[in-house]
Amino acid sequence: MAVGKEVEIVKPRTDKRLYRRILLKNSLEVLLVSDPETDKCAASMAVSVGSFSDPEGLEGLAHFLEHMLFYASEKYPLEDSYSKYITEHGGSTNAFTASEFTDYYFDVTVDSFEEALDRFAQFFIKPLMSADATMREIQAVDSENQKNLLSDAWRMNQLQKHLSEKCHPYHKFGTGNWDTLEVQPRARGLDTRAELIKFYQENYSANLMHLVVYSKDNLDKIQSMVEEKFSDVQNTDKNCSHFSGQPCTSEHLQILVKTVPIKQGHKLRVMWPITPEIRHYKECPIKYLGHLIGHEGEGSLFYILKKLGWATSLSAGESDWSLEFAFFKVVIDLTDSGHEHMNDIIGLLFKYISLLQDSGVCEWIFNELSAVCETKFHYQDKIAPIDYVVNISSNMQVYPPADWIAGSSLPCRFNPSTIRMVLDALSMKNVRIFWESKNFEGLTDMVEPWYGTPYCVEQITDSTIQEWTQSTPNENLHLPIPNVFIPTDLSLKKPEEKVKFPVLLRQSPYSKLWFKPDTTFSTPKAYVKIDFICPLASNSPESEVLTDIFTRLLMDYLNEYAYYAEVAGLYYSVNLTDTGFEVTVIGYNHKLRILLETVLEKIATFDVRLDRFSVIKETVIKGYQNLKFQKPYQQAMYYCSLILQDSTCSWMEQLEILPQLEAGDLSKFFPIMLSRAFLECYISGNIDGVEAESMVQHMENIFFQGPNPKSRPIFPSQHLTNRIIKLEKGTSYFYPALGLNPSDENSALVHYIQVHRDDFLMNVKLQLFALIAKQPAFHQLRSVEQLGYITVLMQRSDCGIRGLQFIIQSTVKGPGQIDLRVEAFLNMFETKLLEMTSEEFKSNVNALINVKLEKHKNLREESSFYWREITDGTLKFDRRESEVAALKELTQQELLDFFNEHVKVGAPRKKSLSVQVYGSLHSSEFDQDKIQPVQPSSVQIEDVFSFRRSRPLYGSFRGGYGQVKL
């Protein structure tokens, strides 16, 4: 029987779920969540032990244990049966190891939850850690580490840890690798598996665990289920580890660290050790200071740096926090000019901190921030149960029960002295400055041991920073003004009729309006999408690049104005598309139209400012240059899209064009680009039809009306579509390429199987096969054969053309060999498919039905689903219901026929494409594989564009004006 007293948990006013805190007799603390409306159940267990607890000389042991618990248990000894059960019942599962806790979690369909929860509980009761699995999973940890070695985020994070007290656990390397988990322990006479079991027994105690269980059942039934399944978790009354002391002593402060990143670009990371926010989470001093130092409105630090042409982004807030220590971190992306003015930038940062000290703590700013946070909390979107339980179980580690849901999201206690305490810590004496740039190549004298990051350290003094501060440009730094975008009308409009799907509300030669009022979520928010279809925006590599620069410049111009809207929960973006550009506005509907009309007016009156054009051009060039540092599997996916999508041009072509482009080119291009346009609009949420039509009429007035309109309707021949290459039946295409980064040892394969053009019956056959094969593919290719940490089988859709793809990244084998292993898996899986019982088939069908009937969680999710139908041109708004109907009629023989016709190795109608990226470890195989005789029915793609021109295309679903399917 569970014990514990009732605690009133603070929850959003709109939250209809019921909560109950219980404490099992073994001291395991649990939060039960009952949601009668849910389509998925979920659970998360947070264990209060993480990488800080790794024994000396066994770096990564906590992370390795996290991997091992997924394999098998005494009650369910079949290897991988837990993950297989979850996947086959429409769910997903994962875990992560943090510094001071490890979190395990899953979700699954409602009908399968009880058994899934029982399997999950065995992680913490009697897991099996076989010797064979132990060795294989050390390889998986090593592969996971391999994929991070060339990631600047991982490298810089570890460098910050490296430059701290060696005796403090913050200094540790938490991921682990083959050396730390196999080579070094063996050299010292240690058995890693024995150490693993010992670590589990010593640390995985029920009193250090926090469980969240989210179910459709009532609280009493959930409680009974939890008591039954988790009461056997052993309680050894282990004390929770506390890591006192600070990671940085005086020798680690007042330092300037110059370091060389992998990617192009310059970055400053400025940080100070501070008191963690968790100690004052009602006062939120760090949230207050982060709000001001990270502000982007007029007079802010970022506004001045941007105006001077020195920075392209800035963020500020708490980082790397625990109960005992934390850092306040300011991260600034620099331009080339900003890199040359590093001293001035640091000086301006300290000048802004000085402004905050001189201005005093402002109660009106705190109250405004508190109001924004309160509105955000009470009108937060519902999220997937799996994400929700992870958030709460993480909170349970550090907050009292009443605040398990809210955490530190509700600043409500104005305490100037607490804010001043943290502000005083942001001093010249405590600062750590990390300065990243390729310009430092050859100028460093040290190397961080785990990632090989080159760096050097210089001591800096108060007087040096004071000099920088005094010599800065005399700019007008000031505090933000009151935020006019904070919503005050949060009332809900009553829709005139309950509309299930979007309707075509309005249509003209200039635009089309799809409309769907909110009849589900009861939230004061709206979602607006405007697709500017401009035929001249993407008819050449030059026009695509210029359109891209235009969208970035537009957002750059609007930044200081729109930042206030973002703070208040109103977001916008302008993005490049295949056919022009797209404007999105999402958030509270009260003042949404003000922001939308400002964005549209800025488009209509767009002009090119030379200084900002130069900054954006520099940013775009670096972005293209950095594509060669993408992970090999990302490169393979890019090549796959380039081969399949007929109208796309290569980023290498765009990079070649960029240096020659000038501001004048955009000035000439923009009015021509906008001269022919069609606006496809989608408006949904807390907006009525009359207002939606009025918004679109306003758009038409801006762009199409008047004596000299900015735009005219596009001709029927100008409607653009991105059509997909049709592969030849019975043919296996392959495209080999060397990895673009010679320092990356990883190779990658995308093995794509093209199947069909969007069709309900074919869709469900494909989806069912993917559901059944996903976990066996992962288990065989990743867990058993250990090809690589990134191993996935998933569906793929390109403009409504459906298929399957295997994505694998590996240092173990080259892509040609990986391709053979994929085919071997398909041969092996054919046997399993033939042996599937009718009960197993029905169970898989029901799981897929349950997944399809899962309701949208929030307005954004629903709108994204319908917008995809609109942009693809498929317009199948009832897709889920229709595919469920097709699934209910599907027979097991039809699934087998589907496999034999489209997926089976050597099937006469099979169409496949293998994109093979060779990393540095396998570069010699690249030349050997290219000269191997091509197998019958195989075709090597030598040139992507010649190949595309030689192939027929699938028809597009996207019709022109007047060809609307309702």
Side-chain angles (χ1 to χ4, degrees):
M1 182 69 186
V3 294
K5 58 183 181 181
E6 287 292 323
V7 175
E8 187 173 345
I9 296 172
V10 177
K11 67 176 189 175
R13 285 192 287 267
T14 53
D15 188 355
K16 298 174 185 173
R17 293 168 290 208
L18 299 176
Y19 299 86
R20 179 184 295 168
R21 170 189 175 262
I22 61 171
L23 188 69
L24 301 186
K25 285 193 173 178
N26 57 3
S27 296
L28 198 161
E29 196 164 24
V30 188
L31 181 67
L32 314 176
V33 186
S34 172
D35 181 2
E37 297 178 355
T38 193
D39 308 297
K40 278 266 181 84
C41 297
S44 172
M45 177 78 90
V47 186
S48 297
V49 60
S51 58
F52 277 8
S53 298
D54 286 343
E56 195 67 38
L58 278 165
E59 290 85 358
L61 191 67
H63 177 219
F64 177 42
L65 175 58
E66 171 227 300
H67 278 237
M68 286 301 299
L69 294 190
F70 282 80
Y71 266 83
S73 64
E74 191 174 282
K75 185 172 182 180
Y76 299 100
L78 185 64
E79 189 174 294
D80 196 50
S81 59
Y82 163 77
S83 297
K84 184 173 184 287
Y85 183 86
I86 298 291
T87 304
E88 288 183 353
H89 292 85
S92 59
T93 181
N94 213 330
F96 64 87
T97 304
S99 299
E100 295 182 275
F101 71 96
T102 306
D103 207 309
Y104 303 85
Y105 51 95
F106 76 92
D107 69 356
V108 77
T109 54
V110 172
D111 296 343
S112 313
F113 184 54
E114 185 163 357
E115 183 174 338
L117 193 66
D118 190 56
R119 290 172 178 271
F120 181 67
Q122 305 312 308
F123 281 36
F124 315 102
I125 298 171
K126 285 191 177 176
L128 295 180
M129 294 180 253
S130 71
D132 177 52
T134 299
M135 291 303 296
R136 281 187 278 124
E137 206 56 29
I138 292 175
Q139 291 177 291
V141 170
D142 187 65
S143 177
E144 182 177 356
N145 182 60
Q146 285 276 350
K147 79 173 176 63
N148 299 331
L149 289 179
L150 297 178
S151 162
D152 282 326
W154 284 89
R155 291 164 73 88
M156 297 308 157
N157 184 49
Q158 191 62 43
L159 180 59
Q160 290 158 33
K161 292 171 178 285
H162 181 64
L163 294 172
S164 68
E165 272 291 282
K166 287 185 179 178
C167 61
H168 195 281
Y170 178 71
H171 184 81
K172 290 181 177 182
F173 167 59
T175 306
N177 59 27
W178 182 258
D179 196 47
T180 66
L181 294 170
E182 170 58 20
V183 178
Q184 290 184 25
R186 187 176 292 276
R188 300 202 321 273
L190 292 177
D191 179 341
T192 302
R193 178 171 174 266
E195 295 297 319
L196 183 76
I197 293 168
K198 177 183 172 186
F199 185 83
Y200 177 85
Q201 290 172 342
E202 289 181 353
N203 292 283
Y204 274 52
S205 175
N207 69 306
L208 298 183
M209 297 180 184
H210 294 87
L211 174 67
V212 184
V213 178
Y214 190 114
S215 173
K216 198 179 184 78
D217 290 327
N218 64 52
L219 290 171
D220 289 340
K221 187 170 181 182
I222 305 171
Q223 178 169 337
S224 173
M225 185 165 57
V226 167
E227 289 169 350
E228 177 195 337
K229 299 188 186 310
F230 289 89
S231 291
D232 288 339
V233 177
Q234 188 178 8
N235 178 22
T236 60
D237 282 324
K238 162 84 175 172
N239 289 328
C240 188
S241 299
H242 289 289
F243 304 95
S244 57
Q246 292 299 308
C248 295
T249 61
S250 57
E251 79 173 278
H252 308 110
L253 303 174
Q254 285 196 316
I255 56 172
L256 172 62
V257 183
K258 295 177 181 175
T259 177
V260 183
I262 297 296
K263 291 186 175 182
Q264 295 288 340
H266 321 282
K267 194 185 290 278
L268 273 175
R269 302 175 197 263
V270 188
M271 61 198 73
W272 299 263
I274 54 167
T275 303
E277 181 98 312
I278 185 66
R279 300 225 189 135
H280 306 281
Y281 70 94
K282 298 286 190 185
E283 292 98 332
C284 291
I286 300 172
K287 194 185 291 286
Y288 174 91
L289 293 170
H291 168 65
L292 293 174
I293 296 173
H295 209 280
E296 298 182 21
E298 191 174 329
S300 67
L301 173 62
F302 178 67
Y303 174 80
I304 298 301
L305 295 178
K306 183 182 151 209
K307 190 176 84 166
L308 292 166
W310 293 349
T312 56
S313 76
L314 183 150
S315 62
E318 189 173 33
S319 169
D320 286 338
W321 66 272
S322 75
L323 288 171
E324 301 295 333
F325 71 89
F327 293 94
F328 188 92
K329 187 184 288 186
V330 179
V331 181
I332 309 171
D333 284 306
L334 308 177
T335 62
D336 290 345
S337 176
H339 178 71
E340 299 302 320
H341 288 87
M342 187 280 293
N343 298 359
D344 292 319
I345 292 169
I346 297 295
L348 282 166
L349 170 57
F350 275 102
K351 198 176 260 190
Y352 193 83
I353 291 169
S354 179
L355 167 71
L356 295 180
Q357 290 168 329
D358 295 343
S359 304
V361 180
C362 298
E363 188 168 7
W364 77 263
I365 292 177
F366 181 88
N367 290 340
E368 184 181 88
L369 182 62
S370 177
V372 166
C373 290
E374 186 175 4
T375 302
K376 182 179 179 181
F377 178 73
H378 287 295
Y379 293 95
Q380 62 184 273
D381 289 340
K382 205 169 183 180
I383 60 174
I386 192 169
D387 299 322
Y388 195 62
V389 295
V390 170
N391 290 347
I392 297 176
S393 66
S394 301
N395 281 350
M396 289 169 76
Q397 305 286 303
V398 290
Y399 295 101
D403 294 315
W404 281 349
I405 296 171
S408 62
S409 62
L410 288 173
C412 56
R413 232 179 259 155
F414 180 60
N415 189 335
S417 62
T418 307
I419 295 171
R420 274 196 300 270
M421 174 192 70
V422 177
L423 183 58
D424 289 343
L426 309 186
S427 71
M428 297 177 188
K429 289 189 184 300
N430 290 339
V431 74
R432 287 156 56 90
I433 303 170
F434 290 77
W435 186 9
E436 303 165 31
S437 175
K438 286 277 197 184
N439 292 10
F440 298 137
E441 280 182 330
L443 302 176
T444 59
D445 56 5
M446 286 178 275
V447 175
E448 188 280 317
W450 298 110
Y451 291 83
T453 307
Y455 72 98
C456 61
V457 181
E458 299 173 19
Q459 295 294 142
I460 47 175
T461 62
D462 290 20
S463 58
T464 302
I465 300 174
Q466 282 167 354
E467 284 174 26
W468 296 350
T469 306
Q470 287 159 8
S471 64
T472 57
N474 188 21
E475 296 290 340
N476 182 25
L477 289 165
H478 61 79
L479 297 178
I481 60 174
N483 192 337
V484 297
F485 279 103
I486 294 175
T488 53
D489 180 3
L490 297 167
S491 61
L492 298 179
K493 303 177 192 298
K494 288 186 178 177
E496 294 169 12
E497 55 181 311
K498 188 131 182 164
V499 180
K500 189 174 183 183
F501 300 119
V503 294
L504 185 60
L505 191 62
R506 185 180 189 277
Q507 183 172 252
S508 77
Y510 315 111
S511 70
K512 195 187 292 181
L513 168 60
W514 297 95
F515 174 67
K516 186 185 180 301
D518 176 20
T519 57
T520 308
F521 308 109
S522 301
T523 183
K525 298 177 183 179
Y527 182 104
V528 176
K529 278 273 192 188
I530 310 157
D531 189 3
F532 281 76
I533 299 169
C534 303
L536 302 177
S538 55
N539 60 357
S540 70
E542 288 93 341
S543 59
E544 280 196 27
V545 171
L546 286 168
T547 305
D548 186 18
I549 293 175
F550 149 69
T551 63
R552 293 167 186 254
L553 266 177
L554 184 74
M555 292 190 70
D556 183 81
Y557 296 167
L558 286 162
N559 190 67
E560 51 266 20
Y561 170 81
Y563 185 76
Y564 282 96
E566 183 182 323
V567 168
L570 191 52
Y571 305 89
Y572 90 104
S573 65
V574 185
N575 298 108
L576 181 71
T577 66
D578 294 333
T579 55
F581 63 96
E582 181 181 273
V583 174
T584 309
V585 186
I586 308 170
Y588 301 112
N589 60 276
H590 180 205
K591 299 181 180 180
L592 179 145
R593 190 162 179 175
I594 298 169
L595 178 60
L596 175 63
E597 292 183 359
T598 304
V599 173
L600 296 174
E601 195 59 44
K602 204 72 173 176
I603 295 170
T605 59
F606 179 79
D607 63 337
V608 183
R609 301 178 203 162
L610 181 58
D611 59 333
R612 298 313 299 164
F613 177 88
S614 301
V615 169
I616 297 300
K617 177 182 169 182
E618 179 190 311
T619 304
V620 174
I621 287 174
K622 286 175 184 170
Y624 279 118
Q625 289 171 337
N626 284 331
L627 288 174
K628 70 181 179 184
F629 299 113
Q630 283 186 317
K631 291 183 173 67
Y633 83 91
Q634 294 170 320
Q635 294 176 34
M637 291 176 74
Y638 165 76
Y639 289 134
C640 190
S641 295
L642 190 67
I643 291 166
L644 293 173
Q645 296 172 8
D646 181 55
S647 62
T648 50
C649 61
S650 160
W651 67 261
M652 294 179 189
E653 293 176 346
Q654 294 171 326
L655 179 57
E656 190 177 322
I657 289 158
L658 262 165
Q660 285 78 50
L661 294 177
E662 301 296 340
D665 296 315
L666 183 55
S667 295
K668 291 174 194 168
F669 168 76
F670 178 73
I672 295 170
M673 184 265 284
L674 204 59
S675 66
R676 294 282 173 185
F678 184 80
L679 311 186
E680 181 128 41
C681 309
Y682 176 82
I683 298 177
S684 66
N686 194 36
I687 287 181
D688 60 40
V690 173
E691 187 178 359
E693 288 195 72
S694 166
M695 291 163 76
V696 174
Q697 183 61 60
H698 183 74
M699 295 176 207
E700 289 190 2
N701 292 344
I702 291 175
F703 294 103
F704 296 98
Q705 304 304 320
N708 295 299
K710 304 285 181 189
S711 306
R712 287 184 164 81
I714 62 178
F715 295 113
S717 62
Q718 290 183 298
H719 279 271
L720 299 174
T721 57
N722 190 357
R723 295 176 66 184
I724 303 304
I725 299 299
K726 185 182 285 189
L727 301 179
E728 186 69 37
K729 290 173 184 172
T731 304
S732 300
Y733 298 92
F734 64 100
Y735 178 71
L738 280 172
L740 298 173
N741 180 6
S743 300
D744 200 327
E745 297 180 344
N746 289 281
S747 292
L749 171 78
V750 170
H751 181 101
Y752 167 68
I753 302 169
Q754 191 176 73
V755 181
H756 68 285
R757 191 170 181 262
D758 189 50
D759 169 87
F760 291 143
L761 180 57
M762 286 297 289
N763 291 352
V764 298
K765 292 177 185 177
L766 177 70
Q767 291 158 5
L768 186 59
F769 175 79
L771 175 78
I772 296 168
K774 179 182 176 181
Q775 190 57 33
F778 179 85
H779 178 64
Q780 180 62 33
L781 300 173
R782 198 266 212 183
S783 301
V784 176
E785 299 186 27
Q786 285 296 328
L787 293 181
Y789 181 78
I790 296 171
T791 300
V792 64
L793 166 61
M794 61 188 294
Q795 300 167 61
R796 179 184 177 113
S797 177
D798 298 271
C799 304
I801 308 307
R802 307 290 181 123
L804 286 166
Q805 59 184 1
F806 290 83
I807 303 167
I808 301 172
Q809 182 171 290
S810 178
T811 54
V812 178
K813 292 183 184 293
Q817 291 298 309
I818 301 171
D819 217 357
L820 294 176
R821 299 316 307 152
V822 168
E823 293 200 340
F825 164 74
L826 288 173
N827 285 330
M828 181 187 74
F829 188 70
E830 180 181 0
T831 306
K832 293 190 176 181
L833 208 57
L834 289 167
E835 292 172 352
M836 186 193 301
T837 65
S838 59
E839 288 75 20
E840 288 172 326
F841 174 77
K842 287 174 189 171
S843 173
N844 285 310
V845 167
N846 289 334
L848 187 54
I849 287 173
N850 287 334
V851 169
K852 289 194 166 297
L853 292 178
E854 196 177 328
K855 296 184 286 288
H856 297 297
K857 304 289 178 298
N858 52 60
L859 181 65
R860 184 190 293 249
E861 190 180 296
E862 178 192 78
S863 299
S864 298
F865 175 84
Y866 291 134
W867 183 243
R868 177 74 184 265
E869 293 291 334
I870 292 165
T871 54
D872 278 355
T874 43
L875 302 179
K876 293 172 181 173
F877 300 131
D878 63 346
R879 173 177 301 280
R880 299 192 303 178
E881 293 81 356
S882 298
E883 288 183 348
V884 165
L887 258 176
K888 288 178 177 176
E889 301 299 318
L890 186 67
T891 66
Q892 191 167 349
Q893 187 58 49
E894 285 178 301
L895 179 65
L896 288 170
D897 293 344
F898 169 84
F899 174 81
N900 290 330
E901 188 171 340
H902 298 285
V903 182
K904 181 178 178 177
V905 176
R909 293 171 62 86
K910 183 176 180 178
K911 302 177 288 184
S912 69
L913 165 65
S914 289
V915 179
Q916 304 167 344
V917 172
Y918 290 75
S920 60
L921 277 183
H922 308 107
S923 55
S924 60
E925 295 177 26
F926 174 73
D927 296 320
Q928 294 167 15
D929 290 354
K930 283 197 79 170
I931 59 173
Q932 292 295 320
V934 175
Q935 297 296 314
S937 75
S938 289
V939 175
Q940 180 174 332
I941 299 172
E942 300 281 355
D943 177 79
V944 170
F945 302 104
S946 298
F947 172 74
R948 287 195 333 200
R949 285 190 290 270
S950 73
R951 296 300 310 152
L953 304 175
Y954 278 101
S956 170
F957 285 100
R958 197 162 183 175
Y961 166 69
Q963 297 177 313
V964 182
K965 180 181 176 182
L966 296 175

